[in-house]
Amino acid sequence: MLTVGSIVIRVHDIAAQVRFWTQALDYAVREPMEEDFVVLRPREGIGPSVSLDTMRSQRALPPRIHLDLYADDQAAEVERLIRLGATEVHWGGRPADADYVILEDPEGNRFCVIDAPAWEGWSQPARARSDSGAPASRQPDPGV
């Protein structure tokens, strides 16, 4: 059996990215924190960790992989993430009825904020959320 343990994001300024992602996701640093690698873990419940490392990599657009972050109040979360340093990505191929907003972290790593107020995981204990699946209305977003 396999499970997602950690999602790794390549970064340049690890300290700045730790500040952004811990605040964005309400995650905590798992000690010990190294100068070129850090694991961020959910403060409550279970779920995948997010690891940040300073391994150099080429940026590809659209990225081959990205995070989909579910939001119970998408507009408020997008606004909060922009205040933390994210920027919105405007993509001409985004359908008018899309349930996602494309953002970039302060270093340009793209992720989506999904409008998911009806996601069944909100009503489940944190331990069970990973089994809840994606919102039914999720549309593909190749422009991320």
Side-chain angles (χ1 to χ4, degrees):
M1 178 166 68
L2 294 173
T3 190
V4 175
S6 190
I7 300 153
V8 181
I9 301 174
R10 306 273 190 228
V11 302
H12 297 290
D13 184 341
I14 202 162
Q17 289 292 82
V18 164
R19 282 190 300 277
F20 176 80
W21 285 108
T22 55
Q23 292 176 55
L25 300 173
D26 191 28
Y27 272 34
V29 172
R30 187 181 79 193
E31 298 294 341
M33 182 173 145
E34 299 174 26
E35 67 182 48
D36 62 349
F37 185 82
V38 63
V39 177
L40 308 177
R41 60 172 181 72
R43 285 186 198 278
E44 294 183 24
I46 63 168
S49 295
V50 172
S51 298
L52 306 175
D53 82 28
T54 59
M55 178 73 64
R56 291 238 181 248
S57 65
Q58 294 295 322
R59 182 175 184 204
L61 291 177
R64 297 188 68 181
I65 190 169
H66 68 273
L67 300 177
D68 278 353
L69 306 178
Y70 296 176
D72 60 349
D73 184 343
Q74 182 188 49
E77 289 298 336
V78 167
E79 182 180 314
R80 182 181 71 83
L81 292 163
I82 289 172
R83 281 195 315 269
L84 290 174
T87 55
E88 187 170 350
V89 175
H90 298 281
W91 173 52
R94 184 176 179 265
D97 64 346
D99 65 348
Y100 59 89
V101 174
I102 304 169
L103 297 178
E104 290 182 339
D105 73 11
E107 290 191 0
N109 296 302
R110 292 188 177 181
F111 60 97
C112 291
V113 178
I114 312 303
D115 188 19
W119 176 54
E120 62 190 48
W122 298 127
S123 63
Q124 297 176 356
R127 280 177 254 119
R129 287 184 186 159
S130 60
D131 296 332
S132 299
S137 63
R138 181 74 170 105
Q139 301 292 319
D141 51 355
V144 173

